[in-house]
Amino acid sequence: MSGSGQQQRENRRLTWKLLAFAAGSFAFGFALVPLYRVLCEVTGFGDQKRLIEAVSATQAGSADMSRTVTVEFVATLPTVGNWEFHPSQNTLLVHPGELYATSFVAHNLTGHDTVAQAVPNIAPGEAAAWFHKTECFCFRPQPFRRDEQRVLPVRFFLDRALPVNMDRANERVKADVLMGVDRLAHAIRFVR
């Protein structure tokens, strides 16, 4: 019976360790929300207050009509899978501070239901801080039925603070100084 008693003690001890681990994981999950907010405040990315202020400014008619920036839309697919994926328009001339809408078209040709995720990228990377999406299918996974085709919206604006003069001779721009942007690319890779 001492062997059985030893086994019960070890099982009970393991059960308490597993419960403590589960409780710690649960608490960590709740702690992620404020940690994410702190990260956003420190880095400036995903700062909801700044984004809301910027969207309010775009709705107040504060677009810089004297500037035009060319935004190119690029769609790429992984080599595995069978999809059609392309932007509804390849380029768009935009004024910083004005809200724009465009879309991408995705068609599931895999022969079965699936879920895909869009992974966005802005080039040049230094300009990403001034490219703000208010709506994008890249925010969450997209479920598709077999042979389903869908138009996927993107709403965005460029911050009026986007630097004006591009120094093309200096391709290696220092992280703290962006010389200016007159053209950028919004690329989306669609993966499943």
Side-chain angles (χ1 to χ4, degrees):
M1 195 125 182
S2 66
S4 175
Q6 178 70 18
Q7 184 69 31
Q8 284 182 343
R9 275 194 301 269
E10 288 178 12
N11 287 346
R12 198 172 294 124
R13 189 172 159 200
L14 179 61
T15 301
W16 282 111
K17 285 182 179 180
L18 291 173
L19 285 172
F21 179 76
S25 297
F26 187 73
F28 181 71
F30 275 102
L32 282 178
V33 173
L35 286 174
Y36 177 75
R37 288 187 183 132
V38 169
L39 178 69
C40 291
E41 286 177 19
V42 170
T43 64
F45 290 113
D47 185 352
Q48 295 299 312
K49 289 178 186 171
R50 196 177 93 209
L51 184 59
I52 289 169
E53 289 170 4
V55 168
S56 297
T58 63
Q59 293 171 345
S62 65
D64 184 353
M65 302 307 279
S66 67
R67 287 186 63 196
T68 302
V69 177
T70 302
V71 179
E72 297 176 2
F73 299 99
V74 180
T76 60
L77 291 166
T79 56
V80 295
N82 195 8
W83 286 83
E84 287 180 4
F85 182 58
H86 58 87
S88 59
Q89 57 193 84
N90 292 326
T91 60
L92 187 62
L93 299 176
V94 304
H95 300 290
E98 191 170 330
L99 189 62
Y100 291 88
T102 188
S103 61
F104 285 73
V105 178
H107 188 187
N108 176 10
L109 300 172
T110 62
H112 55 81
D113 293 356
T114 189
V115 176
Q117 177 68 50
V119 180
N121 189 25
I122 303 296
E126 295 86 357
W130 290 280
F131 190 95
H132 303 288
K133 289 180 281 220
T134 60
E135 177 184 352
C136 184
F137 60 96
C138 57
F139 292 160
R140 65 183 69 85
Q142 299 293 319
F144 278 84
R145 291 185 305 270
R146 185 180 74 184
D147 297 324
E148 180 180 5
Q149 181 172 336
R150 193 178 324 149
V151 175
L152 304 165
V154 177
R155 289 173 44 97
F156 70 95
F157 65 95
L158 298 179
D159 195 314
R160 287 179 50 94
L162 181 70
V164 178
N165 300 316
M166 182 67 155
D167 181 7
R168 295 187 192 286
N170 183 10
E171 291 299 323
R172 294 184 151 266
V173 179
K174 293 184 175 89
D176 59 337
V177 179
L178 180 64
M179 301 310 287
V181 174
D182 59 359
R183 175 179 291 278
L184 57 88
H186 181 227
I188 296 186
R189 182 171 179 83
F190 210 54
V191 296
R192 63 175 196 115

